[in-house]
Structure formats: structure tokens, C-alpha cells
Amino acid sequence: MSRVTGVLDDCLCDIDSIDNFNTFKIFPKIKKLQERDYFRYYKVNLKRPCPFWAEDGHCSIKDCHVEPCPESKIPVGIKAGSSNKYSKVANSTKELEDCEQANKLGAINSTLSNQSKEAFIDWARYDDSQDHFCELDDERSPAAQYVDLLLNPERYTGYKGPSAWRVWNSIYEENCFKPRSVYRPLNPLAPSRGEDDGESFYTWLEGLCLEKRVFYKLISGLHASINLHLCANYLLEETWGKPSWGPNMKEFKRRFDPVETKGEGPRRLKNLYFLYLIELRALSKVAPYFERSIVDLYTGNVEEDADTKTLLLNIFQDTRSFPMHFDEKSMFAGDKKGAKSLKEEFRLHFKNISRIMDCVGCDKCRLWGKLQTQGLGTALKILFSEKEIQKLPENSPSKGFQLTRQEIVALLNAFGRLSTSIRELQNFKVLLQHSR
């Protein structure tokens, strides 16, 4: 497999230097940060109905394996509001077994100690008293629950098939400024449409203004990152009755090998690096917000909170030391009116994508899809608020720019996922060399 190397389009940065920077500086620290209580718990509403295709609840019955399980077999954590809509219980035993299997693997582990629960009530009080945390409506919903991200790692859960494609398809087809006439080479397994190998897509993409091209690459990078996690944490086989996860080379090649993907794979991986740089840039830009003494990563444990903040500031320092060269100033730099409407269009497209994540059938995939989308949304919000961040008062809450605890947790965990993807990509490169 040809290695992904060289310079990234739309920014002057080479891949090897990102690899080294990530492996030696960022990855070990961000991993530690994700284990801290403040960053470990994410509040999410997994029961929001899919707003786009209501006719089949969460996904096409046969491939979903989650909802059609008999009521009595569904773990409480998975019982979504729509589970009672199915009168057709999966009828063949094979399907029932698959269903229970995917159910076990995709189930959200929502056990939290009473101690944690009390702490959350405290956090919420603290967040409310600081007006630089503005709660989002969704969090107030009675259906939103805290999830321990360490107990629910992102990995392959058996959720695949048409319903998974449908989610990504509608993201690309309907939310990426794309005319329908341009074919997007999305699914490596789909038969190609006659003569078109996707080149018309790239000709179209090159013709777009920078902003729309960037938007597209961010979504493609997010898709590549999620696929990498799934390839790296794949359900290999059950040993001694226990499922074991690990890297799946075949799956990796299917999605990223230049030959198997007709040249599409390396492009996907380049977009992953591009997304990494964008989020890295956002972190270096938001540092002043956190450097103020008024911002406390509050969990109620004074020592731990101070350590967490030190570690976070340390990561910010690293992000600043990297000579990143994606310059978002060139974005939205046109005439004021055009820039404003384009920015608004960006925001709406993005909001829509986060709503599409409510259509993901497997709870665990939905959790990570929502978190990573919110993280990227927060990064974009930061990049376009530079002036407001520079004007922040040192000792009083700011009206101009605020981040909720949700946004902070999503931002750093989403970046943690990208850092992990790039690390996993290194592992795959090594495995590929050994398998020759």
C-alpha cells in the first residue's frame, strides 16, 4: 500500500511532521486528559427521534439488530422510545442471535456510582452559577443522561449494512453543498456508475470556493477517522466465550487501500490529517479562554481540578508550538455580506449533520457520532470567534464568547479521537509492512 505522505492541499503542512508531533507530544497527554473526571462524562440524549426518515424507526429492521429484539431481551440502556413500535419480532433464530449479539456489543453501559451522580448535581449548580456556561436545551431534556466515555469505547459493534450507508450518504449528498448530478465515490463496495470513477466529483470539488471545499474535507476526514476506529477495534472472534477486539487488516484495506478503493483511500486519509490540523488550530486559538483564572474545570475535587487544568494548558502549549499552517483567515474573507451568509450556511449544514446523527441505529455509534460532530462544531465556532476570544475579560465571565461544559468535553474528546486515529494509522502501516 502506498503510504500517505507529502503535502496536504489547502495548507502547507507535511504528513510526517504531523505524525511525529502527534505520536510524541499530543497523543500521550490527550489520552491522560480523557481519563480525568471532567472529560470522562458526557451528557447525551440518545432517545431523540430521527428527523429524516421516520417510517422505520431507527433503521431497516433486518439490519439493525437493535430494536427488533423481543422487549424482554433489550437491556434497559438501549430501550429507546420507539422499541414498542415493532410488532414484528425477529422471527428466525439466527436473526435473534445476531440481534442479541449486536445488542450486547452496541449497548451503552450507563452505570454510574452514586458518588458520581451527586457530583454531577454539584457540577450543574456550578455551571449554572458561572454565566460563561450556557446550557443547551438538549441537556435539560429529561431523556439526556450522563455517559461514562471510558466504559463505552468507540468500536465496531456489528452495525453495518444499508442503514449505516444511508446515514453517511445523506450527510454527503444533502449537506455538503453538492449538486445531485455529481457522483460521490463514497462506498468502496458499491458498483461504480458506468464510466464515472468519481473524477467528475473532484473536478467539481476543485472548482468550489475554499470554504465549501474545506467543509467537504472536514466531513470526509470525520468519516475516515470513525472508519479507522472501527477497523482498529474490530470484533475479531469470541475466545472462551468472550468477544475480543483488535485491528482488522482486511477491513482497513477495503476502506483505505489505493487499489481496492480506486485511489479514494489515500484521499480519505489526507482529509483526516486536514481535520486534525483544523481542530489543532482551534485548540491553539481557544487557549486564552482557559488561561484565565476564572475558568475552572470544576468537578468539586480541588486538587484534581487544578491538575486537570494544568494538563489542559500544557496541551494548549504544545498545540501552539506546532507550526501549523492552515490559516482560517483566508476563510470567509470575501465581502462582508457574502462571508456572513456563507458562514450562516455553514452553521446550518453543520446543525443538520448533527441531527442526522440521531438516525444512527446503534446507540454506541450514535453516542460517538454525536460527540465528534459536536466537537468539530465547537472547533469551527472557536475559529470564527477569534476577535471575541481576544477581548475576554480576565476575571469576569464573558458575554461575547462562552463554551458550555458539554462543548469543552466534546471538543477535547473529539480531538482525542483524531489523535487516536492518526496513532492507529501508524500501527496499520507497521502491520502492512510485516504482512508483505
Side-chain angles (χ1 to χ4, degrees), residues 17-253:
S17 53
I18 303 176
D19 283 344
N20 289 331
F21 170 72
N22 183 59
T23 302
F24 299 111
K25 281 206 160 163
I26 291 291
F27 180 69
K29 289 179 188 170
I30 198 112
K31 207 166 158 352
K32 258 171 65 182
L33 189 76
Q34 289 173 293
E35 288 163 8
R36 315 292 299 195
D37 278 356
Y38 186 88
F39 289 100
R40 176 177 170 175
Y41 297 103
Y42 179 63
K43 198 172 192 186
V44 65
N45 181 355
L46 294 171
K47 299 199 166 71
R48 285 171 62 168
C50 166
F52 299 103
W53 43 85
E55 78 285 357
D56 58 2
H58 277 176
C59 37
S60 46
I61 285 185
K62 192 174 120 336
D63 294 280
C64 182
H65 301 326
V66 177
E67 246 91 12
C69 289
E71 189 70 19
S72 59
K73 292 271 201 279
I74 298 181
V76 180
I78 267 189
K79 281 188 181 169
S82 54
S83 53
N84 55 3
K85 279 208 294 241
Y86 293 105
S87 48
K88 278 192 219 166
V89 168
N91 35 28
S92 70
T93 45
K94 166 79 181 90
E95 254 187 45
L96 206 66
E97 278 164 27
D98 276 1
C99 163
E100 282 180 16
Q101 171 72 330
N103 210 338
K104 275 199 303 242
L105 302 176
I108 288 284
N109 178 339
S110 56
T111 45
L112 295 173
S113 67
N114 284 339
Q115 210 182 341
S116 301
K117 284 182 186 149
E118 280 164 29
F120 293 145
I121 296 170
D122 258 5
W123 290 9
R125 275 195 206 111
Y126 180 84
D127 283 0
D128 284 345
S129 68
Q130 304 291 313
D131 74 0
H132 58 261
F133 282 97
C134 49
E135 289 278 79
L136 307 176
D137 327 347
D138 194 23
E139 287 181 72
R140 296 247 158 120
S141 146
Q145 68 196 76
Y146 277 104
V147 173
D148 181 339
L149 297 173
L150 298 183
L151 287 182
N152 293 285
E154 181 180 21
R155 57 191 182 194
Y156 178 75
T157 58
Y159 172 64
K160 57 176 189 282
S163 45
W165 278 116
R166 187 176 186 180
V167 168
W168 281 108
N169 227 25
S170 73
I171 287 175
Y172 282 111
E173 294 298 319
E174 290 155 39
N175 292 286
C176 283
F177 304 100
K178 192 173 102 34
R180 292 194 174 268
S181 56
V182 175
Y183 169 55
R184 160 79 183 149
L186 170 66
N187 179 349
L189 305 178
S192 62
R193 300 191 184 172
E195 295 306 295
D196 190 353
D197 56 358
E199 279 314 306
S200 65
F201 170 77
Y202 289 100
T203 325
W204 164 80
L205 192 60
E206 285 315 305
L208 280 185
C209 67
L210 173 74
E211 291 83 353
K212 292 183 179 179
R213 195 162 64 235
V214 163
F215 190 92
Y216 217 103
K217 287 159 86 164
L218 294 178
I219 301 305
S220 165
L222 184 62
H223 193 182
S225 176
I226 289 173
N227 279 338
L228 259 169
H229 303 312
L230 304 186
C231 296
N233 282 307
Y234 206 88
L235 182 64
L236 298 175
E237 75 250 14
E238 303 238 352
T239 36
W240 306 105
K242 277 209 168 93
S244 74
W245 275 269
N248 181 329
M249 291 294 292
K250 201 169 151 229
E251 193 61 32
F252 176 81
K253 285 182 164 163

